[in-house]
Structure formats: structure tokens, C-alpha cells
């Protein structure tokens, strides 16, 4: 499955597993770099999903970022 087709939940679950593998240690430098890069891509995808959800909510509620306090 391509990254674009991963749901937020799928991407987040894979990101959690990737972080756990990195934290466990034991991977070679090259493997660790690949895991790190995959984690970065998954984090970006999760962020994109969250931003899209925020935009949809703002469109439905009519609230813009100017209306938000404390951000």
C-alpha cells in the first residue's frame, strides 16, 4: 500500500512500531537510518491527515485560525 493510501490510524500504528524498533536498538547504522527516514515520512503523513481534518472542521464550523485563542 502506498503512503498516500494509509489512513491516519494505519500511519500512526506504523510510526509507533518504527519508533519502538529504533528504541529497542540492535539495528545497524544503515537500518537505523532507514527506520528514521521512514518515521519522518510517517510523521509527515500523520501531520497532513491532522491538518486536513482541522481544515474540514473549520470549514464546517466557520471558525478560522483568527478566531482561535492561545495558538
Amino acid at each position: 500500500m502506498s503512503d498516500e493510501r494509509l489512513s491516519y490510524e494505519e500511519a500512526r500504528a506504523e510510526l509507533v512500531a518504527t519508533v519502538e524498533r529504533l528504541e529497542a536498538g540492535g539495528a545497524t547504522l544503515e537500518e537505523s537510518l532507514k527506520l528514521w527516514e521512514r518515521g519522518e515520512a510517517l510523521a509527515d503523513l500523520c501531520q497532513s491527515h491532522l491538518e486536513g481534518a482541522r481544515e474540514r472542521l473549520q470549514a464546517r464550523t466557520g471558525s478560522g485560525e483568527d478566531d482561535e485563542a492561545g495558538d
Side-chain angles (χ1 to χ4, degrees):
M1 181 180 294
S2 70
D3 283 353
E4 295 82 30
R5 295 192 184 269
L6 287 177
S7 70
Y8 170 80
E9 292 79 7
E10 292 167 332
R12 186 180 179 283
E14 187 178 339
L15 177 58
V16 168
T18 300
V19 169
E20 288 173 350
R21 288 179 59 197
L22 277 168
E23 288 178 342
T28 66
L29 177 59
E30 189 60 33
E31 290 168 337
S32 295
L33 288 171
K34 286 181 181 182
L35 286 169
W36 180 271
E37 290 168 348
R38 180 65 180 153
E40 287 285 320
L42 290 165
D44 288 345
L45 180 58
C46 287
Q47 185 64 37
S48 176
H49 278 296
L50 292 172
E51 288 170 2
R54 181 180 296 127
E55 289 171 5
R56 288 176 59 194
L57 286 171
Q58 287 174 347
R60 292 222 182 245
T61 62
S63 65
E65 289 188 23
D66 294 339
D67 296 339
E68 294 178 13
D71 277 354

